[in-house]
Amino acid sequence: MATDSTKRFSNRVGNYIKYRPGYPAEVLAFLKKEYKLTPSSAIADIGSGTGIFTKLLLNEGYQVYAVEPNDAMRSAAENELLGYKGFKSINGTAGATGLPAKNIDLIVCAQAFHWFNNAQTRHEFERILKDTGNVALIWNNRITNSDAFSVAYDELLQKDGLDYDKVNHQNINDIDFKAFFSNGEYHITKYPNVQVFDEAGLIGRAFSSSYVPAEDTDAGKRFLLLLKQLFEKYNEAGMVKIHYQTEIYSGKV
């Protein structure tokens, strides 16, 4: 991970835990079938954050090494997941995981790979993976034109966000997957995903994003006012929906 990116979410952990989207059950089923995973499989969740995807893997019974450099996010994951016998928390980065060589069956990066230094990451992934190992890069890719609310919400992020154009979810389009995966070979699997929010939930979801101004700043207070106006205009029966396409880019490195 780039140095600055490891600190971006330190002041957003509470909202991140409560309001970030989960992942469809089909994702776990796909990984299990595609890579013949068993309870003895060793999985490295790189950029594991607060452990949203880590927990799903642990619930499947796998041995999971959660690698996360952000102290606040890693501590939150540990508080939530230390009861799982398969859970190992690692203070490390994508380029220096601290894991032993040739030990991992599958690497997953859920909502994280776009922060990594690709060349350094690829070298480290090659080092820790078994010869038969694979990588699955996973994103909840927010659909920005699914309805009038989603269009207006994206316009708000572009206009009143911080560096949204540089770091938003659409930047996975800029990743050179052919350069990352072995022989340029990988495949893409997609599943629909959705979150339904009342006003408080929408506010929490928005402020969990690093490109939204912090709540206690003038810019954050302005953003909050505009977000509430957006909710008032577009909610249906007190709810709005955020639609995603969960995308898995998988292959060998």
Side-chain angles (χ1 to χ4, degrees), residues 178-200:
K178 286 189 175 182
F180 181 77
F181 286 102
S182 179
N183 299 319
E185 296 177 0
Y186 64 97
H187 55 95
I188 306 173
T189 309
K190 301 178 181 180
Y191 301 103
N193 199 7
V194 65
Q195 287 181 294
V196 182
F197 289 124
D198 60 11
E199 183 181 75

Side-chain angles (χ1 to χ4, degrees), residues 11-223:
N11 63 342
R12 302 172 189 268
V13 170
N15 281 331
Y16 202 102
I17 293 169
K18 291 173 67 175
Y19 299 115
R20 280 296 174 119
Y23 297 85
E26 292 92 339
V27 173
L28 281 301
F30 167 81
L31 295 177
K32 182 177 183 178
K33 181 179 179 181
E34 184 75 7
Y35 300 117
K36 299 178 175 60
L37 300 176
T38 71
S40 64
S41 296
I43 302 178
D45 185 357
I46 311 295
S48 51
T50 61
I52 294 173
F53 200 78
T54 305
K55 185 175 182 178
L56 297 178
L57 294 169
L58 290 168
N59 283 335
E60 295 293 317
Y62 306 129
Q63 308 299 307
V64 186
Y65 298 86
V67 179
E68 173 56 48
N70 183 289
D71 292 339
M73 300 187 90
R74 191 176 63 256
S75 293
E78 290 170 355
N79 289 337
E80 170 76 9
L81 302 174
L82 279 180
Y84 287 89
K85 65 177 182 178
F87 175 63
K88 297 289 189 296
S89 181
I90 310 291
N91 181 3
T93 67
T97 63
L99 295 174
K102 304 297 180 185
N103 187 57
I104 299 298
D105 295 293
L106 175 67
I107 291 172
V108 298
C109 304
Q111 214 72 20
F113 185 78
H114 54 287
W115 296 114
F116 302 161
N117 176 319
N118 283 15
Q120 188 177 359
T121 298
R122 190 176 193 272
H123 178 76
E124 179 68 353
F125 284 12
E126 284 185 276
R127 186 185 70 80
I128 66 175
L129 278 171
K130 296 177 182 177
D131 292 337
T132 55
N134 293 272
V135 176
L137 311 177
I138 307 167
W139 283 272
N140 279 312
N141 198 4
R142 183 168 46 80
I143 301 172
T144 60
N145 60 355
S146 58
D147 53 26
F149 165 72
S150 67
V151 172
Y153 181 59
D154 201 65
E155 288 175 351
L156 174 62
L157 294 173
Q158 291 183 41
K159 184 173 182 292
D160 289 273
L162 298 174
D163 49 358
Y164 175 65
D165 287 337
K166 293 182 180 178
V167 302
N168 82 81
H169 59 285
Q170 299 291 350
N171 284 351
I172 63 173
N173 297 330
D174 297 333
I175 296 172
D176 190 348
F177 292 108
K178 286 189 175 182
F180 181 77
F181 286 102
S182 179
N183 299 319
E185 296 177 0
Y186 64 97
H187 55 95
I188 306 173
T189 309
K190 301 178 181 180
Y191 301 103
N193 199 7
V194 65
Q195 287 181 294
V196 182
F197 289 124
D198 60 11
E199 183 181 75
L202 177 63
I203 292 169
R205 173 64 183 90
F207 282 101
S208 75
S209 299
S210 66
Y211 45 72
V212 170
E215 293 180 75
D216 58 355
T217 64
D218 289 341
K221 292 172 183 175
R222 169 179 163 76
F223 186 94

